[in-house]
Amino acid sequence: MATPPQPFEFRAATRLVVGAGAVGRLGALAREFARRRALVVSDPGVVRAGHTALGTASLEASGLAVRLFTDVGENPTTAHVDAGVEVARSFRPDLLVAIGGGSSMDCAKGINFVHSCGGRMHDYHGRGKATGPLLPSIGVPTTAGTGSETQSFALISDAMTHVKMACGDPRAAFRVALLDVLLTLTQPARVTALTGIDALSHAVESHVSRAATPASRIFSREAFRLLAMGLPRVFAEPGDIEARERVQLGASWAGMAIENSMLGAAHALANPLTANHDVVHGQAVGMMLPHVVRFNAAGCADRYAELVAELPGGCGSAVSAGDRLAGWLADLVVAGGLAPSLSAAGIAIPDLGTLAAAAASQWTAGFNPRPVAIEDLARLYEDAR
Ligand SMILES: [Zn+2]
């Protein structure tokens, strides 16, 4: 007999505004909140691409005073957040706007926590730690990957230890996520691959997470469908706008899936590679995911089959859905120009014990459908050598 679904709730905190050129509506959206002072968080690359200016021009045309904060790095740290809070203290914004990739969006959320509720970033590590209302915020992603625009978590690393803190609260979610595909066209090919593979891993891991619900799976599966269709085309033809739109929307749906279901072992394994070996997130998660899918396969056959059904050719000649999915994922990592193994990523002699212990301590490991002990995690790293 089938087990009835567990009790669950579903909430979408973020209003999606989607369309080519939609960045021009930023000012009008800000005025809907009756806001007058916008702190815009962006990064220097996005400023150089001209996207930030499109957003600030729209805000200013609607009569808002704008202050720009661009001291945001890849994998934002508590130092970036503190610098942004300093600017917020002097400028006193009544609206936060993030224009950029996951780093800018996460940094804006981090600034919002500390500026609105006081204390320091560490106080918000975990879920639901905000002590009061946060400023309304609008997210304008220029990459298609992290899904930060549609979920309430900010990943902020401790500036000293580099340990990533997931800080989430429904009040930190953007009120509006503005998806303008034209802003994603300037991503370098490597960024497209890193963020796209990350989004795909969000779809796959959230679909089988222990915390998955009937609602979250709607988003996981649709995210997977769009990304599976769009990513191979975007890798082959970066200017394909229709494929870019699919990838952008897929990444946002995957963010919504994460918000309602969390992730799994591939993310637990990826984080220590980023913290200890500077492997960027999309690369780290992309090379670990096929191994995690094979590890989970026996217990997740039906769920993986739901995803494989969206692939061209279905299950093909593979013996199981897990094998087919793992093989397809591994091929796509290579098609995106990413390293398929630890050695190819420059880690010749991995410190398996240290890495596995760090992976076991990751919160997200607990949501993997098959329990992962330290020995399992060490073996998964070994498989990825
Ligand atoms: Zn990720």
Side-chain angles (χ1 to χ4, degrees):
M1 204 173 80
T3 20
Q6 75 278 29
F8 73 97
E9 291 184 25
F10 172 70
R11 164 177 48 204
T14 301
R15 167 181 164 198
L16 272 189
V17 175
V18 184
V23 69
R25 292 178 58 190
L26 185 55
L29 289 164
R31 289 311 299 252
E32 281 187 36
F33 296 123
R35 299 295 144 166
R36 305 203 156 271
R37 301 175 70 78
L39 176 62
V40 175
V41 180
S42 194
D43 74 61
V46 174
V47 172
R48 274 196 301 278
H51 303 322
T52 315
L54 291 176
T56 54
S58 175
L59 290 165
E60 283 167 349
S62 291
L64 280 91
V66 175
R67 174 74 69 87
L68 196 55
F69 172 71
T70 60
D71 185 15
V72 180
E74 215 175 84
N75 300 316
T77 68
T78 47
H80 296 121
V81 170
D82 292 344
V85 170
E86 274 299 301
V87 175
R89 278 202 187 118
S90 70
F91 180 63
R92 289 175 290 105
D94 54 14
L95 176 73
L96 276 174
V97 177
I99 304 175
S103 301
S104 296
M105 291 189 281
D106 283 4
C107 193
K109 288 181 203 168
I111 293 167
N112 206 354
F113 272 115
V114 178
H115 178 65
S116 302
C117 301
R120 60 184 200 135
M121 201 64 240
H122 298 71
D123 300 337
Y124 305 98
H125 187 183
R127 193 170 217 173
K129 299 285 180 66
T131 53
L134 272 68
L135 287 177
S137 57
I138 300 177
V140 187
T142 59
T143 61
T146 67
S148 181
E149 66 275 16
T150 45
Q151 43 108 345
S152 63
F153 279 82
L155 286 178
I156 306 291
S157 300
D158 182 294
M160 304 301 288
T161 63
H162 302 293
V163 170
K164 270 194 188 192
M165 298 182 287
C167 309
D169 190 294
R171 288 169 281 194
F174 293 112
R175 298 272 184 93
V176 178
L178 204 158
L179 305 188
D180 181 343
V181 70
L182 301 180
L183 304 185
T184 70
L185 298 179
T186 53
Q187 294 175 90
R190 182 166 166 78
V191 174
T192 297
L194 289 168
T195 53
I197 294 289
D198 186 29
L200 190 63
S201 73
H202 296 161
V204 172
E205 290 223 282
S206 63
H207 193 59
V208 297
S209 154
R210 280 170 186 274
T213 70
S216 72
R217 284 199 193 93
I218 291 173
F219 294 104
S220 303
R221 194 167 168 175
E222 177 62 3
F224 183 85
R225 189 182 73 82
L226 290 168
L227 292 162
M229 250 195 307
L231 279 175
R233 275 173 55 183
V234 165
F235 290 167
E237 181 43 70
D240 184 334
I241 290 199
E242 193 191 350
R244 288 268 185 197
E245 281 173 333
R246 286 179 179 158
V247 171
Q248 186 183 45
L249 190 57
S252 287
W253 289 152
M256 234 171 237
I258 299 178
E259 178 72 5
N260 289 279
S261 69
M262 307 310 294
L263 291 161
H267 275 76
L269 289 155
N271 290 344
L273 294 174
T274 304
N276 300 3
H277 294 279
D278 284 330
V279 182
V280 279
H281 178 70
Q283 167 66 81
V285 81
M287 82 178 140
M288 296 314 304
L289 183 64
H291 301 289
V292 170
V293 167
R294 287 203 177 88
F295 174 82
N296 291 339
C300 297
D302 293 352
R303 293 292 174 205
Y304 285 153
E306 289 171 349
L307 300 183
V308 164
E310 307 293 352
L311 296 179
C315 202
S317 58
V319 286
S320 74
D323 272 345
R324 165 81 167 117
L325 180 60
W328 181 82
L329 289 167
D331 288 347
L332 193 66
V333 166
V334 173
L338 304 187
S341 62
L342 290 169
S343 54
I347 306 172
I349 308 167
D351 39 350
L352 294 180
T354 314
L355 287 170
S361 72
Q362 301 288 316
W363 186 33
T364 188
F367 296 100
N368 196 63
R370 179 173 165 189
V372 275
I374 289 194
E375 310 79 69
D376 300 318
L377 294 160
R379 200 170 57 243
L380 284 161
Y381 282 126
E382 184 71 48
D383 291 346
R385 282 177 88 163

